[in-house]
Amino acid sequence: MALVAIDGPGGSGKSTVAAALAKRLGWERLDTGAMYRAVALLALRHQVGVFDGPALAGLARAMELDVGERIVLDGEDVTTEIRSEAVDAVVSPISAHPAVRAELVARQRAWAAEHQTAVVEGRDIGSVVLPDAVLKVYLDAHPEVRAARRAGQRETALDAALSAALARRDAADSTREHAPLHVAADALLIDSSELGVEEVVERLLAALEERGVRP
Ligand code: DC
């Protein structure tokens, strides 16, 4: 079993780096943010409030979710829909419920045990989900860089509202009571503000090699 945990705030480049690293290694990748987003999408559709922990956990427990190249929720491809502004607006408080987290963390651990070699990205992967990961990475970038990347992904203009929404979500994810976003003690901290994807990936491959893991 060899697992790489990549944590960091929105727009830090986690998804891009995780995908590029997984490709170089020939390993699978799991985007755990997509799992919280799927629960948020279900909550919107079923009109379940963001404070109703038991009902939200029920949605998480009952859903059939496949997180790969495409995100397939109960048989429907929701890859684009889970990245909408509507989902952005509710995913953070929904992900703060311990019962929701328990359900998704169990699925993430089962997925990792099944795949054995993988890159897993999120907020609490190195600290909670996979504390025995061979490499833990905390990826960060300046807030302006992260907001610009998020606008680029959306193909929208970078404006004050987008920056403020991202900052609000980061603050909520970092200060929540359960499994907040923080740098694990043994994590490799990388600021990607001025680094290209390939540079970050090279650093991670070097760190893996130091730990005796070769592609
Ligand atoms: O990485 P992302 O923006 O797709 O994540 C969406 C939300 O899900 C984010 O606001 C925090 C939450 N999340 C979490 O709490 N734990 C994870 N492991 C991944 C995401």
Side-chain angles (χ1 to χ4, degrees):
M1 188 125 146
L3 301 163
V4 176
I6 303 185
D7 292 300
S12 58
K14 284 190 311 280
S15 292
T16 315
V17 166
L21 179 66
K23 195 167 172 202
R24 283 286 288 275
L25 292 166
W27 294 4
E28 291 293 320
R29 164 177 88 111
L30 180 65
D31 172 3
T32 62
M35 301 172 75
Y36 290 94
R37 287 174 178 277
V39 177
L41 180 60
L42 283 174
L44 290 171
R45 287 184 177 177
H46 294 274
Q47 298 184 345
V48 172
V50 297
F51 298 114
D52 192 345
L56 293 166
L59 291 176
R61 201 169 307 120
M63 72 180 174
E64 209 174 280
L65 185 66
D66 187 22
V67 181
E69 280 297 306
R70 313 294 301 175
I71 314 297
V72 181
L73 172 62
D74 295 326
E76 178 191 351
D77 188 327
V78 294
T79 313
T80 308
E81 213 178 338
I82 59 162
R83 310 266 161 221
S84 67
E85 271 177 54
V87 168
D88 269 4
V90 297
V91 67
S92 203
I94 288 174
S95 71
H97 290 286
V100 172
R101 305 199 67 80
E103 178 59 38
L104 297 190
V105 167
R107 290 186 187 220
Q108 292 155 13
R109 288 185 178 144
W111 183 95
E114 190 186 317
H115 288 81
Q116 295 285 314
T117 53
V119 180
V120 183
E121 54 156 306
R123 298 290 190 290
D124 60 339
I125 308 305
S127 53
V128 175
V129 181
L130 305 172
D132 296 330
V134 66
L135 174 64
K136 299 178 187 180
V137 184
Y138 187 95
L139 205 56
D140 207 350
H142 295 310
E144 316 86 75
V145 174
R146 297 194 287 106
R149 285 181 186 157
R150 192 40 64 91
Q153 284 161 0
R154 287 262 168 73
E155 298 180 354
T156 55
L158 171 60
D159 59 17
L162 190 148
S163 299
L166 190 61
R168 259 199 315 276
R169 197 151 63 83
D170 287 344
D173 293 342
S174 304
T175 55
R176 69 184 177 212
E177 191 181 346
H178 301 278
L181 170 67
H182 72 278
V183 189
D186 47 355
L188 173 66
L189 179 59
I190 296 184
D191 185 328
S192 73
S193 304
E194 284 164 21
L195 295 176
V197 178
E198 279 315 311
E199 283 171 291
V200 178
V201 169
E202 288 304 330
R203 286 192 192 192
L204 300 188
L205 288 170
L208 276 171
E209 189 146 1
E210 277 170 23
R211 290 160 176 76
V213 181
R214 285 198 178 76

